[in-house]
Amino acid sequence: MYQAGYLKHFTEEVFLAIGCPEQEARLAAQVLVSADLRGVDSHGIARLAGYVRLYDHGRLNPNPEIKVVYETPSTAVVDGDRGLGLVVAPKAMEIAMEKAEKVGSGWVSVRNSNHFGIAGYHAMLALEKDMIGWTMTNAAPLVTPTFSLEKLLGTNPVAVAVPALEEPPFVADFASTAVAYGKFEILQRKGLPAPLGWAQDAEGNATTDSNAVKSGGGLLPLGSDREHGSHKGYGLGAIVDIFSGVLSGANFGPWVPPFATAGFMNAQEGVGLGTGHFLGAMRIDGFRPAEEFKKDMDKWIRAFRGAKAVDGQKVLIPGDPEREAEADRLANGIALLEPVVLSLGELAKRFNIPFENNL
Amino acid sequence: MYQAGYLKHFTEEVFLAIGCPEQEARLAAQVLVSADLRGVDSHGIARLAGYVRLYDHGRLNPNPEIKVVYETPSTAVVDGDRGLGLVVAPKAMEIAMEKAEKVGSGWVSVRNSNHFGIAGYHAMLALEKDMIGWTMTNAAPLVTPTFSLEKLLGTNPVAVAVPALEEPPFVADFASTAVAYGKFEILQRKGLPAPLGWAQDAEGNATTDSNAVKSGGGLLPLGSDREHGSHKGYGLGAIVDIFSGVLSGANFGPWVPPFATAGFMNAQEGVGLGTGHFLGAMRIDGFRPAEEFKKDMDKWIRAFRGAKAVDGQKVLIPGDPEREAEADRLANGIALLEPVVLSLGELAKRFNIPFENNL
């Protein structure tokens, strides 16, 4: 077990070692380890070695000049200068919130970035300002749209954070696919098949092969097949791609560069700059008094949480599972898998940073 | 077969007969019949008698004072004064586009409205101004969120329209459920079962009963079940509900009033005013030059449309099926089902408007 503070400190040291300025290394560590705290292990410190590989491949600028390249009072394009998405995204969100402060809402499309950690983190930055936060990002193509044999979209998540009064906030944070790719990696390690509806094989057939995506198949959009609405999941993923990639001048569709994960390292010819994100903030009192709105959000949340549920289950509010994971992991620490601990050990050795193997 | 112009004229006459001003009756007819043209029969003239029933029940104000009740440079709440959603929504979209013209984007949450026809129509209003259009609306509860036995959300659709240069625009318009309720009505008429994954029964079990929603069951969110991501479809429907209902001060969740469809007429105690919508417009050149963006959209569309597909199929761009339906129906006319023609005949008789039975 590891304490979050320990992992954050280690992560910060690694980012410092590749040349990030102190404040940005701290911010990046904060964002990355928030994923481990919130139970989204696939997006946390497990990816630290991947960011270092990005740096090794010359695709990550540790000391970027992040700048607004164009703006109106409520919109902007930010160029991340190949910086860590973990740093570029919260800075872009700050810009969106400053615009919202002035004119009611702010919308920032980002180019020339890379993986930004968990989408929900950035959306939640809006909460303490009584704003609604929106985040999207595109990602390397793993998803076959309805009827396609080619992988054309990433798992392209959407996160929306909405404050309540007495209740904890509503925080939806989900990929536009049936499942995250990480679920296949777990099954692969265990040698288990996948449920039908998660992936297709190289011929476009339904498959239970948990290696299908690596063998010419693809992840399926949310909805799984045409009869169950996969064209809607495809539409949602497409919207995310257009807002993040086309609107900013980043790469889009099949051209989004891969994150530095083994097996997906073969970069293609680009049509824009790096990976794209889209971040937005709306001031609640740009619509109605924040107190009234938040009282109604409490009512919304209580109606849903209190609804009659199927035996042994309850109706969850988006954000409940992550908040419960965070409470547990703050109290009891974070368990890391052996390959993750080994990858951190290698980073520790390479950069001469102390690291305890607590397996 | 009916020509669109004939149906529009008839619809306009009916709206005039219940007291709508001329310009609004024409606009409402235009919006309603655009659904029939685009192949979304469930949202077109088949619902005309339903709007009249709303009027008969005192829930529709034919001559509303639609007004902005609060605003900032980029946001507003519009009160629809119980007017036709078919009129309130395009007026709210005009306000969003005026704001976008001035400050880059405009976002309008609407209360005190009712059914607004097809979401895509309003989003597409942004296209000719080189803007991206967004539309959402909440609706009466038919959907059981993941693990819920209670119906808490409507089919809550999202539409996003994005212009391209030489290619036709990208127009995604989809409910946040596995299927629209209309698909069940078709099966009910034919006495056929439904595929698993569309609805649950009163105990929350998967069912093929096409009458399940009327017998204590519910429509399933996009994703169908927890294993296939129904919590994501639920999250999307919830976002639509919060933006449309809670942000505007309309009804939300289980309190959204029913459209005047037989079988769903039992209204509940309200928590706000009428039905809610959310409409947004973003000026493309608030991000990057519109010409550059639209060239990249052409590239996006061509990459997807040209992708290798499973045998006998092709990869569609959101909006393709509706555009093809429109071309066909403009050329060959619109076929109406017998019950629809009969309902129009009754309206014709009641209001003394000529109507040909072309069955």
Side-chain angles (χ1 to χ4, degrees):
Chain A
M1 285 295 199
Y2 291 89
Q3 291 304 310
Y6 182 85
L7 295 181
K8 272 186 213 174
H9 182 257
F10 178 78
T11 301
E12 187 181 333
E13 292 291 321
V14 170
F15 285 137
L16 284 170
I18 63 171
C20 295
E22 205 174 305
Q23 219 182 344
E24 298 192 0
R26 192 171 313 127
L27 173 59
Q30 161 72 20
V31 177
L32 194 69
V33 177
S34 78
D36 296 293
L37 271 175
R38 290 174 67 77
V40 192
D41 300 343
S42 57
H43 285 50
I45 200 161
R47 289 193 181 236
L48 181 56
Y51 287 99
V52 174
R53 276 202 299 280
L54 269 187
Y55 168 77
D56 291 337
H57 282 79
R59 284 181 45 213
L60 177 69
N61 177 0
N63 194 6
E65 193 191 337
I66 300 165
K67 59 171 186 266
V68 171
V69 290
Y70 188 72
E71 65 182 323
T72 71
S74 78
T75 65
V77 166
V78 162
D79 188 305
D81 195 21
R82 296 183 300 122
L84 281 166
L86 302 167
V87 169
V88 175
K91 296 212 170 185
M93 193 66 187
E94 286 300 329
I95 294 166
M97 291 191 294
E98 280 166 26
K99 289 180 179 294
E101 203 65 65
K102 286 183 197 149
V103 297
S105 74
W107 307 89
V108 179
S109 191
V110 177
R111 70 187 193 200
N112 219 357
S113 186
N114 48 57
H115 201 285
F116 72 10
I118 49 171
Y121 180 91
H122 313 297
M124 288 175 76
L125 293 173
L127 293 174
E128 62 200 70
K129 305 203 177 208
D130 276 354
M131 294 181 183
I132 291 175
W134 263 97
T135 326
M136 303 177 180
T137 187
N138 66 11
L142 289 177
V143 180
T144 41
T146 310
F147 302 135
S148 176
L149 293 176
E150 294 180 29
K151 292 190 269 280
L152 297 169
L153 288 170
T155 52
N156 296 8
V158 173
V160 172
V162 183
L165 194 64
E166 292 168 1
E167 296 291 332
F170 171 104
V171 183
D173 180 357
F174 55 88
S176 51
T177 50
V179 294
Y181 187 69
K183 299 245 171 138
F184 286 96
E185 293 174 322
I186 295 168
L187 295 173
Q188 287 162 14
R189 274 197 292 273
K190 298 183 179 166
L192 291 174
L196 280 178
W198 287 14
Q200 68 181 28
D201 67 16
E203 284 76 44
N205 301 311
T207 181
T208 58
D209 177 6
S210 57
N211 289 293
V213 179
K214 290 198 276 189
S215 332
L219 277 183
L220 292 173
L222 179 58
S224 297
D225 58 31
R226 180 62 181 76
E227 186 172 74
H228 294 88
S230 67
H231 55 300
K232 302 176 186 190
Y234 156 38
L236 183 63
I239 291 166
V240 170
D241 191 39
I242 290 167
F243 281 39
S244 302
V246 188
L247 204 50
S248 66
N251 289 291
F252 49 81
W255 294 282
V256 181
F259 187 70
T261 311
F264 296 112
M265 206 56 201
N266 46 326
Q268 288 177 278
E269 189 75 20
V271 292
L273 297 171
T275 295
H277 318 310
F278 185 78
L279 301 104
M282 297 193 291
R283 233 172 62 205
I284 285 164
D285 65 4
F287 295 91
R288 55 187 295 220
E291 183 93 357
E292 273 180 29
F293 172 87
K294 292 197 284 184
K295 267 189 200 159
D296 273 352
M297 276 307 297
D298 281 356
K299 198 180 284 181
W300 193 100
I301 288 168
R302 287 165 188 163
F304 281 66
R305 191 175 278 135
K308 222 178 131 195
V310 299
D311 275 350
Q313 297 288 358
K314 52 187 182 173
V315 180
L316 300 177
I317 306 303
D320 279 355
E322 294 88 351
R323 204 181 52 257
E324 283 162 21
E326 186 163 9
D328 172 61
R329 291 173 175 203
L330 278 175
N332 304 315
I334 296 164
L336 297 180
L337 293 173
E338 187 175 0
V340 176
V341 172
L342 294 178
S343 78
L344 299 180
E346 282 169 29
L347 292 173
K349 197 171 158 195
R350 170 172 168 187
F351 295 117
N352 199 24
I353 303 166
F355 181 72
E356 278 174 52
N357 184 329
N358 283 353
L359 276 175
Chain B
M1 284 297 199
Y2 290 89
Q3 292 304 310
Y6 182 84
L7 295 181
K8 272 186 213 174
H9 182 257
F10 178 78
T11 301
E12 188 182 333
E13 291 291 321
V14 170
F15 284 137
L16 284 171
I18 63 170
C20 295
E22 205 174 305
Q23 218 182 345
E24 299 193 358
R26 191 171 313 128
L27 173 60
Q30 161 73 17
V31 177
L32 194 69
V33 177
S34 77
D36 296 293
L37 271 176
R38 289 175 68 76
V40 191
D41 300 343
S42 57
H43 285 51
I45 201 162
R47 290 193 181 236
L48 181 56
Y51 287 100
V52 175
R53 275 202 298 280
L54 270 187
Y55 168 76
D56 290 338
H57 282 80
R59 284 181 45 213
L60 177 69
N61 178 0
N63 193 6
E65 193 192 335
I66 300 166
K67 59 171 186 266
V68 171
V69 289
Y70 188 72
E71 65 182 323
T72 71
S74 77
T75 65
V77 166
V78 162
D79 188 304
D81 196 21
R82 297 183 300 122
L84 280 166
L86 303 166
V87 168
V88 175
K91 296 213 169 183
M93 193 66 187
E94 286 299 329
I95 294 166
M97 291 191 295
E98 281 166 25
K99 289 180 178 294
E101 203 64 65
K102 285 182 197 150
V103 297
S105 74
W107 307 89
V108 178
S109 191
V110 177
R111 69 187 192 200
N112 219 358
S113 185
N114 48 58
H115 201 286
F116 72 9
I118 48 171
Y121 179 92
H122 313 297
M124 288 174 76
L125 293 173
L127 293 174
E128 61 200 69
K129 304 203 177 207
D130 276 355
M131 294 180 184
I132 291 175
W134 263 97
T135 326
M136 304 177 180
T137 187
N138 66 12
L142 290 177
V143 180
T144 42
T146 311
F147 300 136
S148 177
L149 293 176
E150 295 181 29
K151 293 190 269 281
L152 298 169
L153 289 170
T155 52
N156 296 7
V158 173
V160 172
V162 182
L165 194 64
E166 292 168 1
E167 295 291 333
F170 171 104
V171 184
D173 181 357
F174 55 87
S176 51
T177 49
V179 294
Y181 187 68
K183 300 245 171 138
F184 286 95
E185 293 173 323
I186 295 168
L187 295 172
Q188 287 162 15
R189 274 197 292 274
K190 299 184 180 166
L192 291 174
L196 279 178
W198 287 14
Q200 69 181 28
D201 67 16
E203 284 76 43
N205 301 311
T207 182
T208 58
D209 177 5
S210 57
N211 289 292
V213 179
K214 291 199 276 189
S215 332
L219 277 183
L220 292 172
L222 178 59
S224 297
D225 58 31
R226 179 64 181 75
E227 186 172 75
H228 294 88
S230 68
H231 55 300
K232 302 176 185 189
Y234 156 38
L236 183 63
I239 291 166
V240 170
D241 191 38
I242 291 167
F243 282 38
S244 303
V246 188
L247 204 49
S248 66
N251 289 292
F252 50 80
W255 294 282
V256 181
F259 187 69
T261 311
F264 296 112
M265 205 57 201
N266 46 325
Q268 289 178 277
E269 189 75 19
V271 292
L273 298 170
T275 295
H277 318 310
F278 185 79
L279 302 104
M282 297 193 292
R283 232 172 63 205
I284 284 165
D285 65 4
F287 295 91
R288 55 188 295 220
E291 183 94 358
E292 274 181 27
F293 172 88
K294 292 196 285 184
K295 267 188 198 159
D296 273 353
M297 276 307 297
D298 282 355
K299 197 179 285 181
W300 192 101
I301 288 167
R302 287 164 186 162
F304 281 66
R305 191 175 278 135
K308 221 178 132 196
V310 298
D311 275 350
Q313 296 288 357
K314 53 187 182 173
V315 180
L316 300 177
I317 305 303
D320 279 355
E322 295 88 350
R323 204 181 53 257
E324 283 162 22
E326 186 163 9
D328 172 62
R329 291 174 174 203
L330 278 174
N332 303 315
I334 297 164
L336 297 180
L337 293 173
E338 186 176 2
V340 175
V341 172
L342 294 179
S343 79
L344 299 180
E346 282 169 28
L347 292 172
K349 199 172 156 194
R350 170 172 170 187
F351 296 118
N352 200 23
I353 303 165
F355 181 73
E356 278 174 52
N357 184 328
N358 282 353
L359 276 175

